[in-house]
Amino acid sequence: MNNLDHIVTKLSKSSAEAVHTFNQNSATLFKYLHIVTDVENAYIQKLESLRKQKGLIFLCGSSGDGKSAIIAKHQEEFKTDYDFHVDATHSFMPNQTAIEALENSFSNFTNGEKSLVVGINIGILMNYFSDEKSSNEIIKTAIGKYLASKSDSENIFFINFEDYSKFDFDGKIISSDFIKSIFQKITSQSSSNPFYNAFVQDIDEGKTSKIHQNYKLLSQEPIQNSIIELLITIHLKYDQFLTTRSLLDLIYILLNDKVLLIDQLFGDESNVIIQNFRKEDPILQRSFLLDKFILDRASNHKDKELELFINEFNTLCKRGLIHTASSFTLIRLFYLYRDCDFANNYHQHYKKSFENSLIHDFVRLVSVHHNYDEMNKKVIQEFYQKIETAIFSYINKTNPKLSKNNLIMVANTEDIMSAIPIDISPEWSKIKSYESDSFSEFPLFLMINEKTSIEKKISLNLYSMIALINDGYRPNKHDRNTIILFDELIQSILEIVNKGNEIYLLANGEKVLFKNTDDDIKVKVYEA
């Protein structure tokens, strides 16, 4: 095994060092990789604030997010004032359960003088709260309060990784300084970087393989930026959860496989992140330019500009990585480099084929809701026109003519159709006062018939479904999770309008209005 292989293997989720602390043999590597985050800063501040009083701190999160590493890093500095239960999934003795180990730590905390820190997964926290054998009622009550309302209790505090996103939103764009820093740590050409040192040592010793090519590719800033964009995309579209461990495992797979990183990025079956990347594979895009490019490569069409581009790209790794016949690899490469200048910029011919206006429009709507002003009002109005069109289209799919008269169908028999008038408008007072830190959704505030308000969160999936419905698409069983959310909105609207005092019956070319007033029912007949 060469030097780079040896060190990259430590990034794998299945490696012995996958759950690392700062006291293990791999401490030097993970100290180098460690990045101080907002959640760690919040943890340190809480440690400092409780030095002079007794308290309990739960550092909560999911498996692989770095709880143990953060606790171990600061354990020595605070050991005088704190006891530490580093990992609540573990017990201290073979015949002891994790819950029993927690009980023991809680008992020592209650009877002792020191504060206590517990690193715990949310699942274990819930298990302790619901376990009949757990007996510390004060702590159970505090956990129950937190699970119900995310609130601290007196001298019992919760710091949750889930409250500190790996992504950043400045009100306009989504980015990730954390992920960018990890990439830079691993690929920076610095003598303090053990990965780069291993790479250089292998090159000097003449030990080169696919991993060295992939390391060089991962070192390219355009590729790093595109991977970050992909991570943001799958987070928005597929609720992809990202931990430090899963990110390091992703890098391990991209570097260590026998396939070129450009293809491996969309080709792995075992990694859940790449499984979602595959859904965004640029070779799935259909356009005249891309189809023609694939056909030209299949027919060995000569393209000197393409050859110049490939030759320049191949110099990055000092050997030929791709050739003119590699149409899928080239398309993926064009995608990864789409936002930068490179060589003769041949790849820029295909940039428009990769543009995802849906995500761009969604992020823009998130942005204008975060920073409302009258200049952006038109953007929000356009969305409400789209949602209104989708509502009418979905309800009136068997009789679209009703929509032109602001009617929605509520029942339809062979001879008679019933419909109800509806007015849909934005509730501007709530839109203007909306506040949120989330970049994964924006609010829908609808007024129905100028009386009743409906509120709903619009995710990227739901926004995409609205766009598809407006394009004439009819949801099927594969859209079940998303269409349920849209159905919930439709049912809320129907419940409101069904309580109105007007209904139309349509039959034999006539439209009859029945209007319930205080004293009687008025009837009017119109041509349908």
Side-chain angles (χ1 to χ4, degrees):
M1 179 181 290
N2 59 50
N3 296 289
L4 187 58
D5 267 318
H6 178 72
I7 193 170
V8 166
T9 298
K10 296 178 185 294
L11 302 179
S12 169
K13 65 181 180 182
S14 59
S15 74
E17 293 95 350
V19 180
H20 58 271
T21 72
F22 284 79
N23 299 318
Q24 294 177 319
N25 294 331
S26 59
T28 302
L29 174 64
F30 289 108
K31 277 184 179 179
Y32 170 76
L33 285 175
H34 186 76
I35 295 168
V36 177
T37 58
D38 289 341
V39 66
E40 183 174 355
N41 285 329
Y43 172 69
I44 295 170
Q45 290 174 11
K46 187 59 68 177
L47 288 174
E48 292 284 3
S49 69
L50 288 181
R51 274 189 185 275
K52 297 181 180 179
Q53 68 182 88
K54 185 179 175 183
L56 169 59
I57 301 171
F58 286 102
L59 186 60
C60 316
S62 301
S63 178
D65 54 18
K67 297 181 298 297
S68 300
I70 289 177
I71 292 174
K73 179 183 177 184
H74 301 283
Q75 194 166 347
E76 184 67 23
E77 180 183 355
F78 290 92
K79 67 180 182 180
T80 302
D81 302 300
Y82 289 88
D83 288 324
F84 295 89
H85 190 115
V86 178
D87 190 344
T89 61
H90 294 166
S91 59
F92 304 128
M93 296 177 289
N95 61 343
Q96 186 183 54
T97 68
I99 298 296
E100 289 170 343
L102 272 176
E103 281 283 87
N104 185 58
S105 291
F106 292 154
S107 177
N108 292 338
F109 164 70
T110 301
N111 298 321
E113 297 182 357
K114 283 187 175 183
S115 293
L116 174 66
V117 170
V118 178
I120 190 166
N121 290 354
I122 291 295
I124 299 295
L125 198 69
M126 296 174 68
N127 288 345
Y128 181 84
F129 175 71
S130 60
D131 196 316
E132 295 180 356
K133 296 179 181 179
S134 54
S135 59
N136 195 309
E137 290 302 323
I138 293 176
I139 294 176
K140 285 185 75 169
T141 300
I143 292 173
K145 179 182 176 182
Y146 176 75
L147 293 174
S149 63
K150 288 211 164 187
S151 301
D152 294 328
S153 299
E154 185 178 359
N155 295 328
I156 300 179
F157 306 92
F158 298 83
I159 301 172
N160 194 338
F161 274 73
E162 292 182 3
D163 296 329
Y164 300 85
S165 175
K166 298 289 191 300
F167 303 103
D168 313 301
F169 182 62
D170 66 2
K172 293 183 179 179
I173 62 171
I174 305 169
S175 57
S176 178
D177 289 340
F178 173 77
I179 301 174
K180 187 70 173 177
S181 297
I182 290 288
F183 283 143
Q184 291 175 341
K185 284 265 189 179
I186 290 175
T187 62
S188 65
Q189 297 183 21
S190 167
S191 59
S192 64
N193 178 4
F195 294 91
Y196 181 69
N197 289 339
F199 172 79
V200 171
Q201 186 176 348
D202 285 343
I203 298 300
D204 290 344
E205 295 174 359
K207 300 175 182 177
T208 59
S209 63
K210 188 72 75 177
I211 192 172
H212 299 89
Q213 298 170 14
N214 285 339
Y215 181 80
K216 191 70 176 177
L217 291 174
L218 188 65
S219 302
Q220 305 305 308
E221 187 174 7
I223 291 180
Q224 293 181 11
N225 291 339
S226 290
I227 294 174
I228 292 172
E229 287 187 25
L230 279 167
L231 288 166
I232 292 169
T233 297
I234 65 172
H235 174 73
L236 290 172
K237 291 183 73 171
Y238 312 116
D239 296 323
Q240 175 64 59
F241 188 66
L242 185 68
T243 64
T244 302
R245 190 185 301 169
S246 65
L247 177 60
L248 294 178
D249 186 63
L250 170 67
I251 294 171
Y252 160 76
I253 289 174
L254 294 179
L255 293 177
N256 197 54
D257 201 82
K258 305 306 179 187
V259 178
L260 198 65
L261 179 145
I262 296 167
D263 293 314
Q264 176 63 2
L265 191 59
F266 303 100
D268 191 79
E269 293 280 355
S270 62
N271 183 278
V272 66
I273 293 176
I274 299 182
Q275 286 175 14
N276 280 327
F277 281 174
R278 292 181 68 183
K279 301 172 188 175
E280 306 302 314
D281 192 340
I283 67 171
L284 300 177
Q285 298 288 341
R286 293 268 66 87
S287 74
F288 172 78
L289 283 177
L290 291 178
D291 289 346
K292 183 176 184 301
F293 180 82
I294 293 170
L295 290 173
D296 286 346
R297 304 288 72 73
S299 60
N300 295 318
H301 176 77
K302 296 296 181 182
D303 190 331
K304 290 185 178 180
E305 291 297 310
L306 174 61
E307 291 175 5
L308 288 172
F309 176 85
I310 291 173
N311 290 338
E312 183 70 20
F313 177 78
N314 283 339
T315 63
L316 293 176
C317 298
K318 311 300 182 187
R319 61 187 296 180
L321 298 180
I322 54 178
H323 49 82
T324 56
S326 308
S327 57
F328 286 179
T329 302
L330 282 166
I331 287 172
R332 288 164 174 160
L333 176 62
F334 298 162
Y335 168 81
L336 294 173
Y337 273 76
R338 68 195 183 282
D339 290 326
C340 73
D341 291 330
F342 180 78
N344 60 358
N345 279 336
Y346 181 92
H347 61 299
Q348 294 288 5
H349 298 312
Y350 303 92
K351 181 177 180 178
K352 287 189 176 181
S353 299
F354 307 125
E355 288 180 353
N356 194 329
S357 60
L358 199 68
I359 291 180
H360 175 270
D361 293 344
F362 175 80
V363 173
R364 189 183 182 199
L365 279 163
V366 172
S367 175
V368 297
H369 280 87
H370 275 263
N371 305 285
Y372 178 85
D373 61 46
E374 292 299 317
M375 295 290 290
N376 290 324
K377 186 174 182 178
K378 184 178 179 181
V379 177
I380 298 176
Q381 285 176 318
E382 289 173 351
F383 166 70
Y384 276 82
Q385 290 169 1
K386 291 177 182 177
I387 190 74
E388 182 176 350
T389 301
I391 290 167
F392 277 116
S393 176
Y394 189 74
I395 297 176
N396 294 335
K397 50 182 171 282
T398 60
N399 199 318
K401 291 181 180 180
L402 291 176
S403 304
K404 296 178 182 179
N405 297 311
N406 287 340
L407 296 173
I408 57 173
M409 184 176 67
V410 290
N412 188 17
T413 65
E414 188 174 334
D415 301 316
I416 301 175
M417 178 189 303
S418 57
I420 296 176
I422 182 174
D423 177 75
I424 301 172
S425 60
E427 190 172 6
W428 288 107
S429 60
K430 290 186 177 180
I431 294 171
K432 292 176 181 179
S433 61
Y434 171 74
E435 293 184 2
S436 173
D437 295 327
S438 174
F439 64 84
S440 59
E441 60 188 19
F442 65 88
L444 175 71
F445 297 116
L446 280 182
M447 284 296 292
I448 305 299
N449 292 341
E450 300 182 348
K451 293 180 180 180
T452 309
S453 175
I454 291 179
E455 299 181 11
K456 196 165 190 66
K457 299 295 185 183
I458 304 296
S459 64
L460 178 59
N461 279 343
L462 187 50
Y463 181 74
S464 302
M465 182 59 68
I466 291 165
L468 286 170
I469 289 171
N470 283 337
D471 286 339
Y473 177 76
R474 291 291 169 256
N476 56 47
K477 62 181 181 180
H478 301 295
D479 306 310
R480 185 174 183 274
N481 291 336
T482 305
I483 203 59
I484 283 175
L485 299 176
F486 192 71
D487 269 330
E488 289 174 355
L489 172 62
I490 297 300
Q491 291 307 313
S492 298
I493 292 171
L494 291 175
E495 285 177 13
I496 294 169
V497 298
N498 278 327
K499 295 176 182 177
N501 61 359
E502 294 183 356
I503 187 169
Y504 285 89
L505 297 182
L506 295 88
N508 301 321
E510 289 186 335
K511 181 170 63 177
V512 183
L513 169 63
F514 294 84
K515 185 173 183 178
N516 186 13
T517 65
D518 292 334
D519 300 321
D520 57 8
I521 296 176
K522 293 183 178 181
V523 181
K524 289 186 178 180
V525 181
Y526 306 87
E527 286 188 10

